[in-house]
Amino acid sequence: MNVNRAEYRSKVLGCWMGKNIGGTLGAPMEWRRQINDVSFYTQKLGGEPLPNDDLDIQLAWLIALEEQGPDLDANTLAEYWLLYVAPHWSEYGNAKGNLRAGLLPPLSGSIHNDFKHSCGSFIRSEIWACVTPACPAAAAWYALQDAIIDHGDGEGTYAEVLCAVMESAAFVESDVQKLLDIGLSYLPPDSAVAAAVRTARECYSGGRTWLEARDTILEHYRGATFFNHLSHTSDRDREKGFHTGRLGYDVPSNIGMLVIALLYGEGDFDKTLCTAVNCGEDTDCTAATVGSLFGILHGIEAIPQRWIDPIGRGIKTIALNVGDCSWQLAKTVDELTDRTERAAHAVLHRRRLPVRITDNPTDRSGLNAERLFARDGGASLYWNLGGPVFRFDQFEIGVDYLDGPFARDAQPKTIRLKIRNTYRVQSNLNVRWYVPDGWEVHPGSETTLHVASGALGDRVDAEYALQAPCVGRSPVRMAIEITRDGWPMTMLVPVTLLNGNAEQTPETGG
């Protein structure tokens, strides 16, 4: 399938410009639970946008793509996270703390993280969509690798997958309702993000006003006000009982409001972005993301020049440690578009995706609309949210920590090994555990597992119980060696446990 290069560039440039405009428009009202009344920028800008972490981290992801290539995954992105993400607040800081303790994604986003259901990941979905135009399954995979760093098994992960899928599909699908259907096909139906999307759609189809839809979303999906500061809730919303909620449980309501803006905006740029901001909550994030999606849907030509002139075409950063990468950062949306296109060519080629960006007209005749939907309801995406996945030439190996990466004195700690054969040859795999002195492995430190042909889509799971009289100092590092008789390759998989003796419960997060 061909995507016309000029059309592609217009959509990518529209994406980044819409991102800058929405983030700047919504920044002054960020995290205020109130009804706003904006119709344009409310601050003097002097030809520059406001800095926005929504766009910042995506600049780092672009550098990662350029340096590491299209095969990067969550483990690689986590290294860039530690190098370049500066803030210590909320999920950003919690993820860094977990990574430094030795926990890889998704554990870095799941453990001791009250903010895994918050908004820090869906705001950085666009880069993955723009390098996988019209390939939502690939966009979903990349978005998952990104989101699990700081949201793990939380609702924040589903939110980024949703946005990346819709944005990727928007390169060839212009019907908003179909985009929502496509996005939902990649989410667990019982997730709160999916429920919030359905509620927003029901309000719109039922003839309710955007304000009634907004109140319905807050009634059913709200989290706490900004760190429980009641001053961030308006008198009107307090009277409605909207001043309470669960700390960090922010993304379902904000995704609901994003969908409200998309639906009630009805293809008008001003109305779409202003509706997002006027709903309140995480206004810079909702307006920036819906601005990006609008830009992909309609191209840069559909963004009125009066929105561009006050902020220009530059990019300002706030959330990156730029000491080691300032010379690598895109300085304008035009440069960002150029580099995004180059990365897209590399991703499409390396992953053998059925899309090429050429000077030929976009050819939708070969586009089967069903191809845009998840084939298995997204199940293949979330097959190991209980621990990291390690990828080798012919196998994917997931380490599922089940009730968390905690070991306790004289108590067995069960770990489930999940092995997926990605090639067509069945194998007998020899599994050998290397553990510290004093640790025992049951049913044994050396076992053999049979894995059927990958063509059958088969996976084998095996559980091992680890135990020591005294866990000792965290982290406890182990390794699993996996080999095949007659084959030279050795697969090494790290296992990290924390001393859980002081943990009150074995839960995996907040």
Side-chain angles (χ1 to χ4, degrees):
M1 175 185 173
N2 287 322
V3 170
N4 177 260
R5 181 172 181 268
E7 182 180 336
Y8 169 81
R9 289 182 58 83
S10 172
K11 289 176 176 288
V12 174
L13 184 56
C15 169
W16 299 131
M17 186 62 74
K19 190 79 171 178
N20 247 0
I21 292 171
T24 300
L25 176 69
M29 285 70 67
E30 182 182 14
W31 288 122
R32 297 280 178 176
R33 185 163 292 171
Q34 62 188 22
I35 302 299
N36 298 306
D37 184 21
V38 303
S39 58
F40 200 60
Y41 300 118
T42 58
Q43 68 276 65
K44 293 182 179 179
L45 295 166
E48 293 186 332
L50 294 182
N52 195 326
D53 58 313
D54 299 27
L55 184 52
D56 277 13
I57 297 176
Q58 299 192 72
L59 303 181
W61 289 164
L62 178 60
I63 293 171
L65 274 169
E66 292 171 336
E67 291 183 340
Q68 305 300 328
D71 290 334
L72 52 71
D73 62 7
N75 298 334
T76 304
L77 292 175
E79 296 177 1
Y80 281 77
W81 188 273
L82 286 175
L83 284 171
Y84 298 124
V85 175
H88 300 292
W89 63 64
S90 304
E91 59 263 52
Y92 291 0
N94 289 341
K96 287 196 290 185
N98 283 329
L99 289 168
R100 287 169 178 154
L103 300 181
L104 288 170
L107 298 176
S108 58
S110 299
I111 302 303
H112 299 149
N113 187 7
D114 288 335
F115 297 91
K116 67 180 181 179
H117 305 302
S118 197
C119 300
S121 59
F122 82 81
I123 62 178
R124 53 185 197 253
S125 58
E126 291 84 9
I127 185 65
W128 311 122
C130 289
V131 300
T132 58
C135 300
W141 187 88
Y142 278 119
L144 180 76
Q145 304 309 306
D146 175 1
I148 60 175
I149 296 172
D150 57 334
H151 292 80
D153 59 358
E155 293 286 341
T157 292
Y158 303 136
E160 181 169 0
V161 169
L162 172 78
C163 290
V165 164
M166 291 175 61
E167 290 155 354
S168 174
F171 278 91
V172 289
E173 177 57 69
S174 59
D175 185 289
V176 169
Q177 294 287 1
K178 288 183 180 178
L179 287 179
L180 290 168
D181 287 338
I182 293 167
L184 286 173
S185 76
Y186 286 82
L187 301 189
D190 60 350
S191 66
V193 167
V197 172
R198 292 193 297 266
T199 298
R201 297 179 78 179
E202 290 165 2
C203 289
Y204 180 73
S205 63
R208 297 188 183 184
T209 67
W210 71 265
L211 182 55
E212 291 171 329
R214 178 259 189 194
D215 286 352
T216 300
I217 290 293
L218 282 181
E219 180 181 351
H220 294 287
Y221 306 105
R222 70 179 180 276
T225 54
F226 182 70
F227 288 98
N228 286 313
H229 295 313
L230 293 183
S231 61
H232 281 244
T233 301
S234 68
D235 292 341
R236 180 235 185 230
D237 281 353
R238 287 193 206 182
E239 291 174 1
K240 287 183 170 290
F242 295 162
H243 57 288
T244 63
R246 174 182 170 187
L247 179 67
Y249 192 77
D250 304 308
V251 81
S253 62
N254 280 279
I255 287 293
M257 291 175 186
L258 187 157
V259 173
I260 288 171
L262 188 63
L263 293 173
Y264 288 82
E266 297 178 328
D268 179 270
F269 184 78
D270 294 46
K271 190 176 178 182
T272 299
L273 268 68
C274 290
T275 298
V277 174
N278 290 338
C279 282
E281 297 292 285
D282 196 1
T283 48
D284 66 325
C285 293
T286 53
T289 302
V290 82
S292 294
L293 185 51
F294 185 99
I296 297 174
L297 278 166
H298 304 287
I300 187 65
E301 297 82 6
I303 299 179
Q305 190 64 36
R306 69 186 187 91
W307 285 96
I308 299 174
D309 291 338
I311 66 169
R313 304 174 81 87
I315 296 172
K316 295 182 70 175
T317 62
I318 190 175
L320 294 181
N321 175 8
V322 299
D324 188 47
C325 68
S326 60
W327 58 277
Q328 291 177 285
L329 297 176
K331 303 301 190 295
T332 67
V333 292
D334 301 280
E335 179 192 349
L336 182 54
T337 298
D338 291 340
R339 290 169 62 179
T340 300
E341 182 188 358
R342 288 197 293 272
H345 285 293
V347 169
L348 294 171
H349 175 75
R350 178 68 181 91
R351 297 182 67 88
R352 296 187 178 94
L353 298 175
V355 170
R356 291 294 178 266
I357 302 168
T358 73
D359 291 328
N360 297 323
T362 297
D363 176 20
R364 290 179 173 82
S365 63
L367 175 65
N368 178 357
E370 293 301 316
R371 184 179 68 78
L372 301 177
F373 288 79
R375 295 180 179 179
D376 57 1
S380 60
L381 278 175
Y382 312 114
W383 67 281
N384 197 52
L385 287 182
V389 175
F390 302 91
R391 294 171 177 85
F392 301 93
D393 289 343
Q394 298 179 16
F395 297 92
E396 291 184 343
I397 300 174
V399 180
D400 190 340
Y401 287 79
L402 300 177
D403 55 358
F406 304 109
R408 295 169 176 80
D409 292 350
Q411 295 184 27
K413 165 60 192 168
T414 301
I415 288 179
R416 181 177 296 144
L417 200 61
K418 302 177 179 179
I419 302 177
R420 294 174 67 174
N421 189 344
T422 60
Y423 201 56
R424 59 179 177 266
V425 178
Q426 69 271 26
S427 297
N428 290 319
L429 300 181
N430 303 311
V431 179
R432 181 176 182 180
W433 284 78
Y434 292 88
V435 298
D437 291 341
W439 284 77
E440 297 180 352
V441 183
H442 301 280
S445 60
E446 296 189 37
T447 58
T448 299
L449 301 174
H450 177 75
V451 185
S453 167
L456 302 176
D458 199 24
R459 186 186 89 196
V460 63
D461 294 357
E463 291 190 355
Y464 296 86
L466 311 174
Q467 187 171 342
C470 179
V471 173
R473 185 177 179 180
S474 289
V476 181
R477 298 185 184 273
M478 309 176 183
I480 307 171
E481 174 193 85
I482 302 176
T483 60
R484 290 189 288 177
D485 290 337
W487 292 75
M489 182 178 67
T490 297
M491 296 176 282
L492 290 177
V493 174
V495 173
T496 302
L497 293 175
L498 304 181
N499 189 319
N501 286 316
E503 291 287 325
Q504 293 183 356
T505 68
E507 293 174 357
T508 59

